[in-house]
Amino acid sequence: MTTTVEHLGHRGLLADGRVVLIRPLVPSDAPEVTRLHSAFGERDSYLRFFGPAPAHLDRLAEAIAAETGPRHAAAGAFLDGRLVGVANYETLADPGIAEIALAVDATARAEGVGTLLLEQLVSTARARGINRLLAVVSAENTRMLRLLRDFGLPMTSTAQGPEREIVLQLDGGERYLETVATRERVAEVASLRHVLEPASIAVIGASRRESSVGHAVLANLIEAGFTGALFAVNPHAERILGIECRPSVADLPRTPELAVVAVPAPAVADAVEDCGRRGVRAVVIITAGLSPDDTDRVLTAVRRYGIRVVGPNCIGVVNTDPNVRMNATFLRSAVAGGDIGVMTQSGGVAIALTELLAAAGLGVSNVVSAGDKYDVSGNDLLLWWQHDDRTAAAVLYLESFGNPRKFGLLARSLAREKPVLAVRGANTALAQRAAASHTAAAATPAVSRDALFEQAGVLAVDTVTELLTVLAALRWQGLPSGNRVAVVSNAGGTGVLAVDACARHGLALPELTEETLVRLRALLPEQASPRNPVDTTAAVHPLAFGACVDAVVEDPGVDAVIVATAPTAVGDPADALSQRVSLRGKPIVVVRPGQLAPVVPLTDDLVGPVTASYSDPEHAAQALGRLAGYARWLAQPSGETPHLPGIDVDGARTLVAEALAQNHGDGWLTPAEVGALLRYFAIPTVPTAVAADEAEAVELFESMGGRPVALKANAEGLLHKSAGGGVALDVRDAEGVREVFATFRERFGGSLHSVVVQPMVPKGRELLVGINADEVFGPLVVFGLGGVDTDLIADRSARLAPLTESDADRLIAGLRSSPELLRQLPVAAVRDVLMRVGLLAVALPDVAELDLNPLVATEDGCVVLDSRVRVRGHLSGDPYLRYLKH
């Protein structure tokens, strides 16, 4: 791809939905900057500058000349190719603080240009180690004071005569992210209206040939009854399907709000450029197979003209809102309306979902097939669905993530209001290669993705069938208050299968109360089993069966009920269920083994679908297990990232920066550096000293009071010291120290750099705490059983940083061994270490790997016995920035 000025920076959204380009200013922008400043009157300058206009212009010119120098930074906002705002900073005597200035053209005020520029300065400053920004503002400049007050960063204000000195602290944490997300939501909804609620659509590449994609898209729009104006672009036809054709977008009688591009791949870039020149606000690119040069041209046009893009390589978009009625796809069948929002990177998954949902009696509010995701992504749709009252549940199929941390924030916010479901794809190495080829993007590591979903409250499923079964339970029944399930069946074998399925999906089968048992015995024949699972026998009458269900549902120890039925000559027990189920406050799902489809609605003639009827107890238990997990997540407080005492972030950053310089951007820290880094975060470690030779090792042993010590080899390439023979424990005298040192020298030869000497500590539970930084997802905090058997046992849980107290508690409770482990651990001390490691991961993005193994936990607390840290130059984007893809 050719690098031009248009490719610098990133695109952001204004409050009215328009797209603005935010990029660093370069020397060639100087004439535009001068033009912008000359357009300001005295009153404008007074309102929009932090300082006097002439001084600001001089400082801005210096910043532009410096380009990316450490003392200066300057950014501009370009709307439709025209500079409409500038912002810059200059560091002061204290390198940790910089003074900022900002100016915005009158035509773009109140739309968020100033906020986007200030967010850019914050991102640049944070990356350069600046932790405070100073603004000197006139006391009468209420507009600028309000912008700073509402910005979301911690702020202090000092009166200075007619001026105010405002200091912004750049460590805003999750609150700043939430404030940015709120601003983004307003702009995103306004922008996506062009995609999902357009007043007019042009199909570029509409064709008279019925087998063509362009013909199918136009036909579907007509059949759906699109409520807006509809145009067709084809230079070789006058009318198609009754719609008048024009040879190009420029020839249309009015500018369409949305264009659907269904032309051959070599013509796509020309079509998008034509749309940009005409002022089209959004395009859906159906076409696949764009060359790198065509992709470059498309993205350049998108940036230059501020266009939103769905695709390419997609099937299109749908909105079933009666006020819109848009089916801009080449789907074979009409799309059933409903309240489920769907976003998928796979056209095949979109086709399967729309058809399966319709067959099951469910429908969609909107569908976006994102394809190669040049622009519109899952994050965009999460924001849209939170605004869209017609969407009651959201479904995603994603093969890659552009900004996972933002996804987690947005998904968590939406999941508090509406269930969010995701189909997990690319779980295996082979599938990841296929996904990368399919989407032209790096596939997502499964562990990081699953941690992201779990923290955000996303209901993750593995198959489209499972998605359908969970959606049916969600839409037709409420959430359970717990995981206690009763099984009622007139077929004993089906009841047994249901019990096994419940155990597999984390559901418990409680004992029924004596009152419930008395009611059941009065209803059932003697040979029936009234205990959970309740076996009514096949001969029970449907009315008696229904009364049994009543009794079980009313048991206070039951949160949900699985009713397994088989029709007999006596009658079909399911006939007695529909009216009962519709009146219950607890989820009740039905299993009917003779049913052909995996799930169908059990209906009441008066109220419609009242519950889901499954063909297999596995599906029913799986769905209830997902619902119980979601209810549990909703009931847990989300928590906040803690502010812990004793942390010196600046000192830690300096240490890492010096290590990166010494290691040329990638390498393992020395034991002394690791110890210092952990002390900067007040992570408890055993006293540690390093000996270069035998004499120094003996001297260190004696300085520790002659107590038994552990000796550990620090050798090149020795990462797992115990497994590699680099650890000696309980060494009790000077002679033993000499012998161990000699053994290490013989074993590791010239690769032995030194030997670590530590006093022995009391025995305790050995744990592992670590960081694994993913290039896309950022740092992942891992917790598990530690010591020499850590890889053999492989009992671990993971969460993405930063961690709240709730996240730390879920890590501790997330092991297979947690039920037993929790009775032994000093939970508060372990939680404290986990949260400090989480803060370290966020504050030091250059830490690529960290292992605390073992972390020994005793009744007195925790202490790290061994640790290693690798640092690597950090290149990933800033999650605090609002930007569109590419």
Side-chain angles (χ1 to χ4, degrees):
M1 179 182 291
T2 304
T3 301
T4 64
V5 170
E6 285 81 5
H7 288 97
L8 297 174
H10 58 268
R11 298 180 305 144
L13 289 175
L14 300 182
D16 63 0
R18 288 182 294 172
V19 180
V20 63
L21 177 65
I22 306 292
R23 65 167 175 81
L25 292 173
V26 295
S28 60
D29 293 317
E32 273 289 284
V33 174
T34 302
R35 179 202 58 77
L36 177 66
H37 278 267
S38 64
F40 287 114
E42 184 177 345
R43 180 65 177 169
D44 287 316
S45 300
Y46 177 69
L47 278 174
R48 303 310 296 172
F49 292 115
F50 288 128
H56 174 266
L57 188 56
D58 291 342
R59 289 163 60 187
L60 181 57
E62 187 178 352
I64 296 173
E67 293 194 57
T68 58
R71 293 192 63 242
H72 302 276
F78 294 81
L79 188 60
D80 296 326
R82 187 173 64 91
L83 183 68
V84 294
V86 294
N88 67 284
Y89 73 64
E90 177 185 358
T91 57
L92 303 179
D94 179 351
I97 187 169
E99 185 175 357
I100 56 177
L102 174 67
V104 178
D105 188 286
T107 61
R109 291 176 192 163
E111 298 296 346
V113 171
T115 304
L116 282 168
L117 285 168
L118 189 54
E119 288 172 4
Q120 176 64 47
L121 287 188
V122 168
S123 176
T124 304
R126 284 167 56 94
R128 297 180 183 177
I130 297 170
N131 51 43
R132 290 164 294 159
L133 293 179
L134 168 68
V136 181
V137 188
S138 165
E140 297 182 27
N141 192 347
T142 56
R143 185 181 299 166
M144 191 61 66
L145 290 170
R146 184 169 59 251
L147 184 153
L148 295 170
R149 185 182 64 246
D150 297 340
F151 191 65
L153 289 173
M155 183 186 88
T156 57
S157 176
T158 304
Q160 187 179 345
E163 295 180 328
R164 300 285 182 268
E165 285 193 357
I166 310 294
V167 176
L168 298 176
Q169 301 288 338
L170 302 194
D171 187 13
E174 294 298 302
R175 179 179 177 274
Y176 179 53
L177 278 175
E178 291 167 3
T179 304
V180 171
T182 299
R183 290 194 287 264
E184 187 172 30
R185 187 172 297 114
V186 173
E188 190 71 57
V189 168
S191 177
L192 285 184
R193 289 191 192 281
H194 303 309
V195 175
L196 291 169
E197 295 179 355
S200 55
I201 299 176
V203 180
I204 303 175
S207 172
R208 289 171 295 196
R209 186 163 44 88
E210 293 186 5
S211 61
S212 72
V213 170
H215 183 96
V217 172
L218 186 61
N220 278 345
L221 283 165
I222 295 170
E223 183 180 351
F226 176 59
T227 58
L230 190 56
F231 307 104
V233 175
N234 185 326
H236 307 296
E238 294 183 0
R239 301 186 75 85
I240 298 175
L241 297 173
I243 303 296
E244 183 181 359
C245 291
R246 295 296 175 91
S248 69
V249 175
D251 297 316
L252 293 174
R254 58 184 269 201
T255 301
E257 192 172 351
L258 172 69
V260 181
V261 180
V263 297
V268 168
D270 287 338
V272 174
E273 288 171 348
D274 289 345
C275 288
R277 284 189 288 268
R278 183 63 195 262
V280 176
R281 306 315 303 168
V283 296
V284 175
I285 304 176
I286 304 290
T287 311
L290 272 66
S291 70
D293 286 343
D294 289 334
T295 295
D296 189 12
R297 287 180 58 197
V298 168
L299 295 178
T300 299
V302 164
R303 284 173 168 266
R304 181 175 297 149
Y305 298 111
I307 305 172
R308 298 307 309 268
V309 180
V310 175
N313 186 22
C314 71
I315 64 166
V317 295
V318 173
N319 188 349
T320 63
D321 186 340
N323 295 317
V324 181
R325 298 205 299 269
M326 176 183 66
N327 180 2
T329 72
F330 59 98
L331 289 170
R332 178 184 60 182
S333 306
V335 179
D339 57 9
I340 297 169
V342 176
M343 185 272 176
T344 169
Q345 280 184 257
S346 164
V349 171
I351 294 168
L353 271 178
T354 52
E355 294 185 355
L356 286 172
L357 288 171
L362 296 163
V364 301
S365 56
N366 39 65
V367 178
V368 174
S369 168
D372 290 342
K373 272 199 322 183
Y374 277 13
D375 175 19
V376 174
S377 67
N379 288 2
D380 299 290
L381 270 297
L382 290 171
L383 288 162
W384 175 266
W385 288 324
Q386 192 154 23
H387 137 85
D388 186 14
D389 292 336
R390 293 186 62 252
T391 298
V395 172
L396 298 153
Y397 173 75
L398 299 172
E399 293 171 349
S400 62
F401 290 83
N403 190 333
R405 187 170 181 185
K406 182 177 290 184
F407 174 92
L409 184 71
L410 299 177
R412 183 165 61 245
S413 178
L414 179 59
R416 291 286 172 188
E417 302 176 16
K418 307 172 184 181
V420 180
L421 298 92
V423 182
R424 284 185 288 224
N427 291 313
T428 65
L430 184 60
Q432 287 177 6
R433 288 198 298 273
S437 172
H438 178 205
T439 64
T444 296
V447 174
S448 299
R449 176 207 59 200
D450 291 348
L452 176 68
F453 285 160
E454 183 183 350
Q455 285 173 264
V458 174
L459 293 165
V461 300
D462 293 310
T463 66
V464 174
T465 299
E466 184 184 355
L467 174 70
L468 189 67
T469 58
V470 175
L471 272 173
L474 277 168
R475 301 309 305 129
W476 298 329
Q477 290 285 284
L479 294 177
S481 57
N483 70 335
R484 300 169 301 175
V485 174
V487 175
V488 181
S489 172
N490 74 332
T494 305
V496 171
L497 292 175
V499 171
D500 288 342
C502 286
R504 282 192 292 272
H505 296 288
L507 300 171
L509 267 73
E511 294 290 336
L512 302 176
T513 65
E514 187 59 35
E515 180 182 353
T516 302
L517 292 174
V518 169
R519 291 177 63 182
L520 291 173
R521 291 188 185 108
L523 292 166
L524 295 173
E526 186 174 344
Q527 66 271 27
S529 173
R531 297 190 177 278
N532 191 15
V534 178
D535 181 3
T536 67
T537 73
V540 70
H541 191 277
L543 293 179
F545 187 90
C548 290
V549 173
D550 287 344
V552 171
V553 170
E554 292 166 10
D555 190 301
V558 172
D559 300 314
V561 180
I562 295 176
V563 181
T565 70
T568 69
V570 177
D572 187 350
D575 294 340
L577 294 178
S578 61
Q579 293 185 4
R580 285 181 163 84
V581 171
S582 64
L583 300 176
R584 297 300 173 190
K586 297 178 182 179
I588 304 172
V589 296
V590 176
V591 176
R592 305 176 81 179
Q595 180 179 296
L596 294 179
V599 59
V600 297
L602 183 71
T603 62
D604 184 298
D605 292 339
L606 298 177
V607 300
V610 292
T611 192
S613 175
Y614 296 96
S615 62
D616 192 298
E618 179 72 18
H619 295 322
Q622 190 175 53
L624 281 181
R626 298 295 188 194
L627 265 62
Y630 180 45
R632 186 167 55 249
W633 180 84
L634 286 172
Q636 293 173 334
S638 57
E640 294 183 355
T641 305
H643 294 280
L644 301 176
I647 294 178
D648 181 359
V649 173
D650 290 339
R653 285 174 175 162
T654 300
L655 184 152
V656 169
E658 292 174 351
L660 284 170
Q662 293 171 1
N663 294 320
H664 305 289
D666 192 341
W668 294 94
L669 299 187
T670 67
E673 290 170 333
V674 172
L677 181 64
L678 298 183
R679 287 193 294 274
Y680 280 131
F681 282 85
I683 296 172
T685 58
V686 66
T688 300
V690 180
D693 53 35
E694 293 179 14
E696 191 174 356
V698 170
E699 183 179 342
L700 289 172
F701 165 76
E702 292 174 347
S703 70
M704 294 178 182
R707 295 166 50 193
V709 297
L711 301 179
K712 302 175 183 179
N714 176 29
E716 189 75 30
L718 180 64
L719 298 181
H720 299 281
K721 292 183 174 62
S722 293
V727 175
L729 301 177
D730 203 27
V731 181
R732 294 179 171 271
D733 53 38
E735 186 58 31
V737 171
R738 293 188 185 92
E739 290 177 0
V740 170
F741 206 108
T743 299
F744 285 167
R745 186 182 295 111
E746 181 180 351
R747 182 171 296 159
F748 301 112
S751 64
L752 182 69
H753 301 312
S754 58
V755 171
V756 173
V757 183
Q758 297 172 330
M760 293 293 293
V761 300
K763 289 185 178 181
R765 170 63 65 182
E766 294 189 341
L767 305 171
L768 161 73
V769 174
I771 295 171
N772 182 29
D774 179 78
E775 291 182 3
V776 175
F777 277 71
L780 187 76
V781 178
V782 180
F783 172 74
L785 297 182
V788 294
D789 295 328
T790 181
D791 292 327
L792 178 65
I793 299 171
D795 190 6
R796 299 168 189 160
S797 59
R799 311 287 283 189
L800 291 168
L803 301 181
T804 66
E805 282 196 17
S806 296
D807 289 326
D809 287 340
R810 289 168 190 154
L811 273 174
I812 297 170
L815 307 181
R816 299 189 303 274
S817 56
S818 289
E820 177 65 26
L821 196 63
L822 285 171
R823 290 194 286 267
Q824 307 171 18
L825 289 183
V827 173
V830 176
R831 181 194 302 122
D832 183 74
V833 171
L834 285 170
M835 290 190 296
R836 290 180 185 277
V837 170
L839 291 173
L840 184 154
V842 173
L844 305 175
D846 294 317
V847 171
E849 293 180 53
L850 177 147
D851 280 326
L852 310 181
N853 182 23
L855 171 73
V856 174
T858 67
E859 60 182 13
D860 297 324
C862 296
V863 62
V864 176
L865 297 192
D866 200 5
S867 52
R868 61 191 181 112
V869 175
R870 184 167 72 92
V871 293
R872 180 183 59 209
H874 180 66
L875 299 175
S876 64
D878 185 350
Y880 292 89
L881 271 179
R882 286 186 285 155
Y883 58 87
L884 303 177
K885 279 179 67 68
H886 296 289

